[in-house]
Amino acid sequence: MTENSHEAAHNRAGRWSAMLDRLATSGRLGVSEAADLLGVSEATIRRDFGELAKRQLVTRHHGGIVATSVAYELPYRYRSSQADAARRRIAAAAAGLISAGQVVGLNGGTTTTATARAITAREDLAGQGQLTIVTNALNIASEAVLRPHVQCVSLGGVARPESYELTGPLAQLVLEQLWLDTAVVGLNGLTAAEGATCRLEDEAAIIRLMIARSRTVICVATGDKLGQRTFASICPADRIDHLVTTADAPADELAALRTAGITIHTV
């Protein structure tokens, strides 16, 4: 058992993260395999499997579990991966683009969650005019509200349990009454030709409106999202002011995005 697996075995959330990480690559996980991976009893693993299935994060199948479609977009508290370090670098760079006293909008997602944490943790923003965070992500709001120098505005709407995001007419109604200085948005795909996209239209609608109500748009995305196009259109590439991404992003796509007028920050 690896050191990380040993640490994960000491708490249920850690075990669940390790199991879901394994499922992300293998698609299925057996009781004995999970017990060996985490160094706990098979009885403990069966209880964990039952709890994960109850939350519809996995499906029970012949003495083990298999990945379900919802596992592609799990709530952040159930997720951990090797990409976390990359997201923290993106978050730190994106947070550095925010000025004191700004109104900053953020949609939901793992990279925007990391960015929200980096923004609200900046000590130099405290005491220089109140920073305002506007978000449709319940998890981002629940953390931001604890910062005394941050005013947190949570949009209404229908909550999606897979990602903690609020969508629908109520969220749009609130957002239409607000003006933002900067929108920090996560996405599932970005190309110079087809712009920013995500997988679900209801989420795309909120992000589109957030961008429309903002002066400046910062996209935060790991390099694997570049060159990809997904289902729902968010905005054309030339509406984006800054892109913060990882150094492994495709060089040809980065060049095309620069030509479209985006300032690129690689970390």
Side-chain angles (χ1 to χ4, degrees), residues 78-98:
Y78 296 129
R79 299 179 63 176
S80 67
S81 71
Q82 294 179 349
D84 282 351
R87 292 190 182 100
R88 285 193 293 270
R89 294 196 304 273
I90 290 172
L97 300 174
I98 303 302

Side-chain angles (χ1 to χ4, degrees), residues 91-173:
L97 300 174
I98 303 302
S99 301
Q102 282 196 329
V103 179
V104 181
L106 298 109
N107 68 308
T110 52
T111 308
T112 49
T113 294
T115 304
R117 288 172 178 157
I119 293 170
T120 58
R122 275 185 54 188
E123 295 181 0
D124 61 311
L125 295 183
Q128 298 186 38
Q130 191 173 52
L131 177 73
T132 299
I133 296 293
V134 177
T135 185
N136 69 321
L138 292 171
N139 62 316
I140 291 177
S142 67
E143 293 186 23
V145 74
L146 300 176
R147 300 282 186 175
H149 65 288
V150 175
Q151 175 178 256
C152 180
V153 178
S154 178
L155 304 181
V158 178
R160 297 187 65 245
E162 298 89 348
S163 62
Y164 293 155
E165 288 182 277
L166 299 165
T167 61
L170 288 176
Q172 295 182 50
L173 182 64

Side-chain angles (χ1 to χ4, degrees), residues 8 72 78 99 119 127 136 182 186 191 205 210 213 219:
Y72 289 106
Y78 296 129
S99 301
I119 293 170
N136 69 321
T182 301
T191 72
M210 194 173 286
R213 307 299 290 181
C219 280

Side-chain angles (χ1 to χ4, degrees), residues 143-225:
E143 293 186 23
V145 74
L146 300 176
R147 300 282 186 175
H149 65 288
V150 175
Q151 175 178 256
C152 180
V153 178
S154 178
L155 304 181
V158 178
R160 297 187 65 245
E162 298 89 348
S163 62
Y164 293 155
E165 288 182 277
L166 299 165
T167 61
L170 288 176
Q172 295 182 50
L173 182 64
V174 174
L175 192 50
E176 285 170 351
Q177 309 307 310
L178 307 175
W179 289 111
L180 312 178
D181 295 304
T182 301
V184 179
V185 301
L187 40 79
N188 296 123
L190 176 62
T191 72
E194 296 151 320
T197 56
C198 69
R199 296 191 182 98
L200 299 171
E201 167 54 31
D202 57 349
E203 291 182 9
I206 293 296
I207 304 171
R208 282 197 297 268
L209 184 53
M210 194 173 286
I211 288 171
R213 307 299 290 181
S214 301
R215 288 194 180 98
T216 303
V217 178
I218 301 171
C219 280
V220 290
T222 50
D224 59 307
K225 305 290 179 62

